[in-house]
């Protein structure tokens, strides 16, 4: 099911003729010709893909893409324009379109391939979202403290252990964590940890954590079955 958003009905007839020429039953096309009708149709979530013309009277397809972000999940969108424009191509991708095609160059092979790739890309993206949601549910509900660091500056692994620890202390911060980590380290809320500098969070000079970091570095940051001693803000010692 394909929604065609185009205020020029003649162009719709051409697109329908291209797609139905090979197999009239393969694609079911619906035309809407106004901006407001397009917003309503997108929010109805009854289409597998949207062919969106850039020009919509006084509005344009980029504006529609921005407004349609709230429709989740939104079907993949292919933006169409009368002529090629590299700047518009970039704007379309940034606004969430999966492809950009030029109307004057349309034929069945080009249009069918773009539609097929867009639907396959959306399928893979949906599977990834499902996997991420499943992972997030596990992380949020496990009793194990989980946290993730990010670096403000890349760190060459060729640095010495001492230099890597210094780099982590200077440029690493907690990007996210779960509720179990909040309890383990003696904080009250996730937002109390997220954003903390590495050394503020772990106090690497205390209770052998410096040694733990060295082990982590020697294993190329893939450490299995290792123990660390954690000192909470309240002074409670935990072995993890």
């Amino acid at each position: 099911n394909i929604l065609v958003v185009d205020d020029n009905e003649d162009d719709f007839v051409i697109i329908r003729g291209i797609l139905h020429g090979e197999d009239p039953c393969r694609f079911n096309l619906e035309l809407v010709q106004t901006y407001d009708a397009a917003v309503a149709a997108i929010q109805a979530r009854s289409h597998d893909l949207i062919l969106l013309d850039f020009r919509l009277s006084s509005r344009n397809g980029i504006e529609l893409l921005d407004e349609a972000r709230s429709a989740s999940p939104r079907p993949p969108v292919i933006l169409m324009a009368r002529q090629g424009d590299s700047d518009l191509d970039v704007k379309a991708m940034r606004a969430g379109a999966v492809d950009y095609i030029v109307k004057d160059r349309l034929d069945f092979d080009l249009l069918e391939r773009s539609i097929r790739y867009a639907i396959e890309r959306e399928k893979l993206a949906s599977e990834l979202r499902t996997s991420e949601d499943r992972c997030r549910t596990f992380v949020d509900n496990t009793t194990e403290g989980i946290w993730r660091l990010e670096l403000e500056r890349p760190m060459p692994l060729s640095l010495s252990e001492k230099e890597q620890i210094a780099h982590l202390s200077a440029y690493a911060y907690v990007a996210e964590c779960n509720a179990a980590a909040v309890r383990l380290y003696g904080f009250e809320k996730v937002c109390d940890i997220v954003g903390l500098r590495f050394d503020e969070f772990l106090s690497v000079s205390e209770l052998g954590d410096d040694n733990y970091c060295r082990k982590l570095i020697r294993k190329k940051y893939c450490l299995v079955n290792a123990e660390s001693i954690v000192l909470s803000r309240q002074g409670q010692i935990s072995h993890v």
Side-chain angles (χ1 to χ4, degrees), residues 20-76:
H20 285 181
E22 297 287 331
D23 184 355
C25 299
R26 183 177 178 186
F27 299 104
N28 178 38
L29 276 67
E30 176 188 350
L31 172 67
V32 295
Q33 295 183 267
T34 67
Y35 186 96
D36 291 340
V39 171
I42 292 171
Q43 291 175 343
R45 302 185 181 93
S46 58
H47 301 88
D48 301 307
L49 181 132
I50 301 169
L51 290 175
L52 172 61
D53 188 29
F54 175 65
R55 293 295 178 189
L56 295 171
S57 299
S58 60
R59 310 291 291 273
N60 66 59
I62 301 296
E63 292 177 280
L64 182 59
L65 277 170
D66 289 336
E67 186 165 343
R69 287 181 188 274
S70 60
S72 180
R74 186 189 69 189

Side-chain angles (χ1 to χ4, degrees), residues 128-178:
L128 179 60
R129 286 193 296 268
T130 299
S131 176
E132 289 176 342
D133 289 343
R134 188 161 51 242
C135 181
R136 171 52 58 189
T137 298
F138 169 77
V139 169
D140 287 343
N141 291 280
T142 183
T143 57
E144 300 292 333
I146 297 176
W147 46 269
R148 179 174 63 84
L149 293 177
E150 286 191 2
L151 289 169
E152 294 174 340
R153 294 187 183 180
M155 180 176 66
L157 296 182
S158 58
L159 296 178
S160 68
E161 291 178 5
K162 184 176 181 180
E163 289 172 326
Q164 288 190 48
I165 292 175
H167 192 100
L168 289 171
S169 296
Y171 302 113
Y173 65 94
V174 182
E176 62 179 325
C177 71
N178 64 355

Side-chain angles (χ1 to χ4, degrees), residues 203-210 228-232 236-238:
S203 299
V204 296
S205 63
E206 296 180 320
L207 299 177
D209 273 4
D210 182 80
S228 176
I229 301 173
V230 173
L231 178 66
S232 75
Q236 182 177 355
I237 297 175
S238 301

